[in-house]
Every structure is written in C-alpha cells, then in structure tokens.
Amino acid sequence: MAGTRDILQGTLDLLILKALSLGPMYGWGIAQRLHRLSGEELTVNQGSLYPSLHRLEQRGWIEAEWGTSESQRRVKVYALTGRGAKALETEEGGWRQFIRAVERLLSAEPVEGAS
Amino acid sequence: MSRRPWLSLKLRTLFDRRRLGRELADELAAHVEMETEAGVARGLSPREARRRALASFGGVERIREETRDQWSFRWLDDLVLDLRHAARSFAHSPLFTLVAVATLALGIGAATSIFSVLDAVLWTPPPFSEPERLAMVWETDRATGTVREPASVPDFLDLEARSRRFDELAAFQGRQVTLTAPEGQPRRLAALAVTQDFLGMAGVAPRLGRGFEPADDRPGAAPVAWLGEHLWRTGYGGEAGIVGRRVEFDGVPHTVAGVIPAEADFGFRQILGRAAYQRSFGEGGSERVAVWLPLAPDPEASPRQTHPIFVLGRLAPGANARQAQEEVDSIMAELEREYPENLHRGAFVEPLADVVLEPVRPALWLLLGVVALVLLIAWVNVASLLLARSAARSQEVAVRTALGAGTRRLARQFLVEGLLLASLAGVLGIGVAALALPPLLTLVPQELAPRLGEVGLDGGVLLASLAVVASVGLAFGAVPWLEARRGGPFGALSGGSARGATAGPAAARLRGALVVAELALAVTLVVGAGLLVRSFLHVTAVDLGFDTAQVLKAEVQLPASRYPRDFATWPDWPEIQGFHEAVLTRVRALPGVERAALAGAHPLAAGFTNSFVIEGREGEAAGQPEIAIRQVSPGYFRTVGVAVAAGRPFTEADTKDSVPVAAINLAAARRFFPEDEPLGQRIGIWGVFREIVAVVGDERFHGPEAETAPAVYLPQRQAPAWNLSLLARTDEDPAQLAASVRAAVHEVDPALAVFGLETLDSAFARTVAKPRLLATLVGLFAAVALLLALVGIHGVLAYTVAQRRREMGIRMALGAARGDVVGLVFRDGLRFTLLGLALGLLCALALSRSVDSLLFEVRPTDPTTLAVVAGSVLTTALLASLLPALQATRVDPARTLQGE
C-alpha cells in the first residue's frame, strides 16, 4: 500500500481517543476507522493498537464491554469515558501546538548575513 | 451487559489475571479473523488472507506480552522497584545495615516487651463487674499509726448493718489448708475464706455447681468448699462430676459445691501483702486461690479484740470513696464509744485499684520511662547513621536528579528505604521481645504484677510497636531527602566530597547535636541505674539480725483434728507438745544438722501481734500498740543466730509447770523500757504475767526495708503454736537437707503437709526481688544506651576525620605535628562529651526525684553516684574519641594532596 507511514506509538493513544470520540468500536474496527479517517494516509501497525487500548483502559480514559459485531462475532467494544474526553481535548491542544512549532521551524529560510 | 467500571477493572487486574488473559487471547484472535475475512472478501485465498493478516498484525506473542505489560498499578511497580533498589543498597553497606537494624530492633524489642507487661498490669481492667466501685475497708490503729490492719468480726457485722454508702460488704481471709489426696503426699494449698455475699458482690458466677448460700456461712454448718478452676483442672481432670464429691481438707471431709472461675482470683495475694500484718498466704503452695471456703463469721469465737478478717465493699450508686470514708469514720467513732476494745480503732477506705496497683505504679512508670529513653536513643543513633550515609550518597542523588528523577520520586525512594529499615528492625524487635518476654517475666516478683499469667504479646501491643516502627521509618525517610535537597544536585556534582559540599557543615552540626543528645539520654539512664544499684546494695547490706546462710526452714500446720487445742487446758496440749519433741529429736539427729528449733513464725515472716500489759503500768496498756508475738523453742536464738544482749535464753527447764518467762527484743526494750531495766519485770500476755529473762537482738521479720518492730518471745512449752516453722542450722549445704527433713517430719506424722521448704537465703532473695529486678533491668538498658551513645560519638568523629582528611593533610604538610592533628579530633570529642554529660546530669537530677519511692537509703541527688557516673562516662567517651583521633594521624599528607 503506497503512501502509508507508520506512526509513533506515543501519538497512537491520541488517535485512538479521537477515533472513539466518534463512537464506540472494537479493535479491528478502530484500525479501519483510523485508516479511513486519515484519508487512507495512515496505516496502523495493527497489533500495536492493543497495548495502547489496554493502557488507556487501565488509565480510565476508555472503558470496554463485550458485545457482538455485525458478523455476529464476539468482540470487546471500547468507548470513551468522560475523563477520556477531557484528556482528548488536552492532548489534542498540545499536539496542535507541537505541530505549529514544527511547522514554523521547518519553514525557516536562511537569511542573508545572519548566522 | 453493563459497562464495566474502572474500579472493577483494577480489582480484576489484581486478582483475576487468568480471565483477563483469556479475554485478551479471544480479542486478538477475533481481530486476526476479521482481518482474514476482509482479505478473503478482497479475493485472496483463505490461507493467503490469513498469512497477510498475521503479518500485518505483528508478532502475536509479542503483542500479547506488551499488552499484558500494560496491566499494572504504576505505584505498585514503582514500589517494587524502590524496594529492590533499597535492598540492594543496604546489601552493599552491610555494616551500616547491621548496626542500624540491630539498634532499632533493640529499642523496639525493649519497648514491645515492656508495653506487654504494662498492658496486662496497668491498663487491663480486672474481671469484676464495675471494679471501680469496689473498695477495701481496712481498719486503722491510731496508737501505732498503721493504716491497713485487718478488722474484727463484730466490727464487720456492725459496719454491714449501719452503713448506707456501701451497698454490700463482704469479708475474706487468707488461709492455708492441707489437701490429703488419696495417693501421694499431702499438699499445702492457698485458700480464701469468704462470706456468702462476696462472689455476688464481685460479680463472679461459679463455673460449675452452685454459689454461696447463707446456710453455708453460719458457724457449725456442714463443711463445704469450692475448688478454684486451676486446681479443678489439674488435680481433678476438669470433670463435671466433681460437684458433690467429698474432698478432705485439714482432715475434715468437705463437700465440693462448685468450681470458681480462675478470673475471680484477682490480686488477693497483693491485697493481703499490703496488709500491716501479713499472713503467709500461699507462700509455700501455689499463688492462686485453690480453695474457696465459707468464712462463717462468728462473733463468739472471734471477739472484738481479735482482728482476723479483711473487708471488701461495693459502693452504693452515687456514693464515692470520700463519702464512704466519712461515713465509716463516724461508725467507727460510735463503736469506739460503745466498746472499750475498739480504742484507737478507725477505718480507711481504699479503692481496690489503688490497693493493688499503688505499690507497683512507680516501678512500672520507671520502666516505661526507661524504655522511652532507650527507644529515643536508638532512634537518634539510626538517624545519625542515615545522615552520614546520605551525605556519602549525595553524589548518587545528584546524578539521579541530573538524569531527571523528580524530588518526589527521590523522596519516595528514601521513604521506602526508611520504612524497609524500620520494618526489618520491627520484625526483628518483635521477635526478640517474644523470645525475651518469658525469661523476663520469671525475674518479675509476684507483687510487682498482679496478673502476670495474663501477660503476653497481644494485638494492641503489636499495633503500638508497628506505629513506632512506621514513625521511625517515615522520619528516617524524610531526613536524607531533606539533606539531599539542601545540597542540591550541582553542588555535589562539581566538587569532591572533601571540598565541603554545601550539605557538609550543616550535616556535621546536626550530627554533632544528635550525638550530644544521645549521650545526654544515656547519662540520664546510667545515673538512674547507678541509683538503683546503690539502693539494691544497701538493701542487701542491711543487718537482718539473724543468719540466712546455713539455715533451712520447713513449715507445717497441725490440723485441729489430730492436734486438739482446747483453750481450757492451755498450755497443756500433749499432742502438740509431743509433736514438737518428736520432730526436734529426729531433726537434731540428722547428719549435718548442728542445731534445730521450732518457731511460730520464721524470721522472715511477719507473724501476728497481740495486746499486752506491763506489770505496774497497767494504765498505759490502753495507749500501747500491739506487740509481735514470737513463740520459739529453746535453742531458737542460737539456731538462727540472734544475739542475746542481756539475760539468759530459754532452756529445757522452761516448761508449762515452771515460772512463766518471756524475752523481748531491743526494739521493745527501747520503746517500752527506755529508762529502766526490763530484766526481772513482768509482762502480761493472754492473761498470764511472765518474767522477762532476756533481751535479744532485733530480727527484721518485716524485711530489710521496714523498721524493726518490737517483739516478745515466748517459750513453746509455755505457749505452744500449731503453725510451725522448723529451722535447722547446718554446716553443709542446707538445700541437701530438705529431703531428709521432710522425711523426718513424716516419720512423726505421715499425713502432714510440709511446705515452704527452702533456705532462709532463698526466702530472703524473694524479699529483695523487686529492687534486684529494677537494678538489673535499668542497668541493662543503661549499659546498652551508653554503648549506643559511644558508638555514635565514634561514628561522628570518624566521619569528621574522613571529611577533613584533606584539611589535615594540608596542615601536616605545612608542618603541624601529628600530635596537633590528634588534638584537633580529641577536642571535638571532648566537646561532645562534656556537653552531653552536663546535659545528661541536669536531666537526671530533674527526673530522679520521681523515682525517690523506689530508692532505699539513697537520695535522688546522691553525689557519689553522680561522680562515679560522670567519671566513667568521661573516660569511656574519651576512649571512644581516641580511635578516630589515632586514625587521623595515619593520614598521609602527600597522598591526600595528590588525590585532589
């Protein structure tokens, strides 16, 4: 699949939170959602979802219950909690700030006579 | 299915990992299957789809492990990490760990064992219902000034009738009975005779059978008895069938009416021990009340001038001890007016708790104080050690801080270290206490602890110890962290430790202060120990007036059934006199026996008193106190080593048919014949006037600490006693004689129980058990405390030497002699020592007043003790300073300077 990139584990948490903010979903479905929502640009290393999901669950930012998928399979469905929603806001803000800073850095042009 | 809340998740993480693991496996499997399905839907073969699904998933096992790693309590993991780190660092400095843990363990162990004793003795209430409403009603004698005298039966009956403030009054009496078992030797048992109200008043119900009834308590009633629980279990197998059986006490068959629970025996030994005229209650037999008998108070048999019973009362609701005292005072005043026998008799109401605990409280508070001091010293010592260690670790701390460890994390690390140390010490200390408690308790004399059998390490005590441990751990954790904070990461990183890191001088001052404090505390303890030791030595040095070495005693009580005592024919009692003769003949014939004699009370027994009159001075009789009566056989004085100051001792010629004679002791002579010569005068006892033929030396039968009491001696043939002490003097080891003496007595009367078989030495040792125990315990603690303080001084000075190595190297390079360098260190040591000593002596002077009651012939400010303590502490402390001082001289200036 051309044009895809792996992304850092650290930001995976943020992305999962965002994905779940759109509605509860199980693990495989989250991977699909991320792929779709990013305009097919990002492919998550599928296995690495799970450590993140469980870590977020342990922190109380998401919670899970067992349910059934459309294909009648037993799946563990995750959903965002109130605390998770707040954390998402904070993380999102920090991430955007970071992006702006990197953007500024990358668009710095060499100036004549300056060091 | 409902949402699973976060809390239940955490719980399951802790307790149900297996299920979580299964769920995870299902979850991962489901994912791979769905990815496979999607592949198939895109047109791949199932096998190819699955292969690609697994590939894009990543290693399933690895993912599973990573996910499981997320199941944690962060703080738990951190704690485990901290613990491992702490354990490792302790393992790297084993000496420090050993010293710190041992010091703390010692303090905690001591505290725990003393807490246990105090818990059982001071803080646990007695098993009676509303024990605070119980009070002893002693009688008092204004003429002699005694305040805890037994009462007379008619007085008791009158008090019962006339008192409003007391709801109930009951009487009791300590006795000894012989149990003639079907097999084996006759046994001597402690018995308590009580009136029928007694058990009900105390709120004690019989374990088996029935309680006391009025019918039992009448003179001439059929003999009944109740067994104490301990006797019932050990002697009769705890069978329910005991009720109704006949058991023979003193030759008289008694019907067993029931069993009294063990808890009912509260402190009677102590109560009777506080009475002015102690009977030997349970001395030869067990300490517990083995038999309960009806007292059957009979005013005919026990008229108003004899005082054989003790009175216990329960205050009426709303009445307090003061009001009761006032009422009893007025009743006794009435009785004094009505009956001439009650001249000078008053009464003293004393709450039961005070009676039992008052003699014990000062000693117990002393022990508590001592333990607190030792704990404090241990605490200070370890704090000092940790400080030194933290200073040495300031580099480590600096590096860790530079690498990003937050101060909170560091604090947690030190806290965990402190708690680990304290926990180790706590476990060790409690273990030590558990081991040390039983042998410690054997040292404690019975009077010091009313319910010694109940002492054990109980939950409350353990909790208190754990609290101590926790506080120690927390404090210790805080100390190095504060120290490290003050240093700051860059200060320690930049220079070597020798360049006086910013933490240096402050730490050194703090350690110095700690050492001075330690020494002061230790000095206080040592002074206390010194005072107690001197006191004990004084007690044992008192001249008792008789010999305790080489004299064996044995006691018997002749039962009325075989040895009738008809007061109509007194003193002509053939059976009793016959026994005296037979026993003395046999015992004197034993190999190794130099002399033997009989006495109504042995030299360490208080015996009884009676009123008397001096011929020609009958008018004074009313105002005189009672005098101690000692009934002795001829040869008694030489047997026990009492000096005859004037006149002649009793001989075989003093019989019931010859002139009645008596001897008085020096105390009596001083008191009643201050001006004139007692020899030849006549003294009237029990209606018979006797000529005083001798004045003998004082026997201290109330023990070495009490004053000598006036006594009059009567020859046995003229005043026979049926409660006897046999005394045998031997040039060999008296203990060897015991068996043959017992056999000799049994030759004369096989059914007689022989008890109290011991040397006078061991009887005396029991008398001084309390001062010995205190001196030993406090001495032990003081020695430990001093050792700790000296170790502390040594440690501080050694540390200073290490710190100032560079400075000393420079000094020596610049021409200072080695002696100067030594002098530097020494001066430091001297400064600590003098400060600590001064502070300690001041403390000791302030506190020693509170132990005044425990001292015998030693003032709390005894200058000799203070001087000796000061001298020895000074010497040992200076010696402790010597080592590091000498070490300072080994500093090689060249090498030190190079090391920069």
Side-chain angles (χ1 to χ4, degrees), chain B residues 634-888:
Chain B
Y636 171 81
F637 300 121
R638 289 193 69 179
T639 307
V640 298
V642 175
V644 176
R648 65 157 184 89
F650 302 143
T651 65
E652 302 289 332
D654 296 310
T655 65
K656 59 179 166 56
D657 304 313
S658 65
V659 173
V661 292
I664 59 172
N665 66 0
L666 285 171
R670 277 194 300 269
R671 180 84 188 270
F672 304 115
F673 302 94
E675 312 288 307
D676 39 332
E677 171 66 54
L679 292 181
Q681 298 214 34
R682 303 217 308 164
I683 186 170
I685 311 245
W686 295 329
V688 177
F689 277 93
R690 307 156 184 282
E691 184 187 332
I692 300 177
V693 295
V695 178
V696 299
D698 294 326
E699 287 181 300
R700 286 182 177 269
F701 39 81
H702 286 297
E705 296 175 74
E707 285 189 23
T708 52
V712 58
Y713 293 81
L714 305 175
Q716 286 268 10
R717 287 218 183 83
Q718 297 181 350
W722 59 88
N723 294 338
L724 297 167
S725 295
L726 174 71
L727 295 146
R729 189 187 200 84
T730 169
D731 41 7
E732 305 160 356
D733 179 13
Q736 307 285 11
L737 277 185
S740 31
V741 163
R742 189 197 295 271
V745 172
H746 281 155
E747 270 174 52
V748 178
D749 184 345
L752 203 57
V754 178
F755 61 97
L757 202 54
E758 61 179 345
T759 61
L760 283 186
D761 260 344
S762 79
F764 176 64
R766 260 182 301 116
T767 325
V768 298
K770 176 173 155 186
R772 176 194 284 118
L773 172 75
L774 286 180
T776 312
L777 269 185
V778 180
L780 214 69
F781 283 143
V784 167
L786 191 61
L787 187 68
L788 290 178
L790 292 176
V791 166
I793 289 183
H794 176 274
V796 158
L797 290 177
Y799 176 73
T800 314
V801 166
Q803 287 294 87
R804 298 167 71 181
R805 191 171 292 250
R806 197 169 144 270
E807 175 194 334
M808 291 176 187
I810 292 180
R811 280 179 190 255
M812 289 206 279
L814 289 179
R818 287 189 188 275
D820 295 342
V821 170
V822 171
L824 233 117
V825 178
F826 222 61
R827 263 214 320 272
D828 265 351
L830 192 67
R831 211 164 22 113
F832 290 143
T833 308
L834 288 178
L835 265 173
L837 191 61
L839 222 68
L841 287 176
L842 280 174
C843 252
L845 282 174
L847 292 174
S848 60
R849 234 162 289 277
S850 50
V851 299
D852 198 12
S853 59
L854 297 166
L855 300 176
F856 177 70
E857 284 186 12
V858 176
R859 271 177 312 155
T861 56
D862 184 39
T864 321
T865 311
L866 292 176
V868 165
V869 169
S872 41
V873 167
L874 207 64
T875 324
T876 44
L878 289 179
L879 278 174
S881 320
L882 201 63
L883 265 119
L886 288 178
Q887 209 169 27

Side-chain angles (χ1 to χ4, degrees), chain B residues 315-374:
Chain B
L315 292 168
N320 61 30
R322 200 183 38 82
Q323 295 167 334
Q325 177 74 59
E326 285 168 7
E327 184 192 58
V328 163
D329 281 343
S330 67
I331 295 177
M332 290 304 285
E334 283 170 21
L335 291 175
E336 206 175 343
R337 282 194 296 275
E338 294 165 32
Y339 303 100
E341 306 95 305
N342 268 29
L343 188 60
H344 298 308
R345 303 295 290 186
F348 169 40
V349 175
E350 192 177 19
L352 193 59
D354 289 348
V355 176
V356 176
L357 291 179
E358 200 213 298
V360 163
R361 276 203 192 107
L364 289 177
W365 286 122
L366 171 73
L367 288 177
L368 193 62
V370 163
V371 162
L373 279 180
V374 169

Side-chain angles (χ1 to χ4, degrees), chain A residues 28 46-47 50 58 73 78, chain B residues 6 27 31 35 37 57:
Chain A
W28 186 76
Q46 294 192 356
Y50 287 94
Q58 290 278 332
R73 187 171 271 106
Y78 295 90
Chain B
W6 173 81
E27 201 180 356
H31 184 113
E35 182 67 18
E37 271 178 20
F57 190 81

